[in-house]
Amino acid sequence: MNNANNIDMNLVVQSLNQKLAVANYTAASWESKATQLENENKQLQVQLDQLKQQGNKKGGK
């Protein structure tokens, strides 16, 4: 019986390790996407600032 319990526990550990690997992959994917979105946001902010400056120059004339 003890051997059967060990096999069962090994299956549980194996299953948990697989789930952890999937969770780690998912977290890395989300982190990568978040970094991408942050970079896009910075680029858009620069573009917005440039457009505001252009608008101010046209408005000042």
Side-chain angles (χ1 to χ4, degrees), residues 26-52:
T26 303
S29 296
W30 280 107
E31 188 173 2
S32 175
K33 185 63 177 178
T35 299
Q36 177 188 347
L37 290 172
E38 286 173 351
N39 289 336
E40 288 177 15
N41 188 46
K42 288 175 187 173
Q43 291 172 349
L44 290 170
Q45 189 64 50
V46 167
Q47 291 176 3
L48 178 61
D49 290 342
Q50 288 172 345
L51 288 172
K52 284 180 180 178

Side-chain angles (χ1 to χ4, degrees), residues 1-21:
M1 191 64 174
N2 197 13
N3 198 23
N5 286 342
N6 285 341
I7 291 172
D8 288 345
M9 289 307 296
N10 283 336
L11 291 174
V12 169
V13 169
Q14 193 174 23
S15 174
L16 290 173
N17 280 333
Q18 288 173 346
K19 290 178 182 180
L20 181 58

